[in-house]
Amino acid sequence: MHEALQQFIETRLPLIDQRLHELIMATNMPENLKKAMAYSVDAGGKRIRPLLVLATLQDIGKRSDDALTVACAVEMIHTYSLIHDDLPCMDDDDFRRGKPTNHKVFGEAVAVLAGDALQALAFRSLTELGSTPPEKAVAIMKLLGSASGAEGMVGGQILDMEGEDKQLSLEELETVHLNKTGALLSFCIEAGAILGDLDEKGSAQLRTYAKNIGLAFQIKDDILDITSTTEQLGKTAGSDTSSQKSTYPSLLGLEGAIERLEYHHQTAKEAIGFLGDDSSMLGMFADYIVERNS
């Protein structure tokens, strides 16, 4: 990882973790529900989504007192999706981020409710943006609703489930992942652009970047699923193969998937050429996404 990116992550992660903890602990709720929510939020992870919100603002030379709250809102949505994704009725996983999944610790009913509560808290948090003009706050809420709901992540999850035991075409597979994985990643970039008052031309280029890193992220996940161990991934390796899902390696072969990964990586980097040299955080994040080993 590039030294500048490492420093950026190390300085922002504690701020993200602190704000997430504050948002959950300040909510009046039954103690067991609070513990279940905190369990999955505090499990860590790479925090790529909230970091992308902050990186976008840094790259366009702007700041916002509300950026951390927006970053944490998308992380709560992401965490809720993982809790539900791990349930027996979905992917039926026992481990997430190297720890027993939420339903293995708290039971299925509490896990479902913890995910529901995180989703609701994410949107409530966005109603409390103090320095963002109301019309922009509403635009961010609408964007997150689209990215996380039937038109985005949830719609992609349905397509993913319906694609099990089927041979999807490359176009169909990309549609699944542009929604299931890419929609939330795109939200992070677009929300940062809204907070930073970026013009439409720059925002369009950032959307191209976001689309391509979303696909690159999923292709890398598919490659790691067959090349890494459960210990390295922090979740069950080979799960996509065992559930008979179409993946980029299954469609293109491992070498073809790596070539496709590089194509989307380079397209993403070209889209943000307007930010200047290779010192942009978004450029370094694109490199990190394709170079990571977990």
Side-chain angles (χ1 to χ4, degrees), residues 31-42:
E31 194 60 31
N32 197 40
L33 180 60
K34 185 179 287 189
K35 286 180 181 178
M37 294 165 68
Y39 176 81
S40 289
V41 167
D42 292 344

Side-chain angles (χ1 to χ4, degrees), residues 174 177-178 181-183 185-186 189 204-220 248 260-272 285-286 289-290:
E174 288 192 344
H177 295 307
L178 281 172
T181 303
L185 289 170
S186 293
I189 307 300
Q205 288 173 278
L206 286 186
R207 286 194 289 272
T208 298
Y209 165 86
K211 174 184 176 180
N212 281 278
I213 65 159
L215 290 171
F217 191 95
Q218 185 59 51
I219 296 170
K220 184 65 174 185
Y248 286 89
R260 195 75 183 175
L261 174 66
E262 185 55 30
Y263 165 77
H264 288 298
H265 174 224
Q266 288 303 318
T267 304
K269 293 286 288 283
E270 289 167 7
I272 56 172
F285 264 110
I289 283 169
V290 303

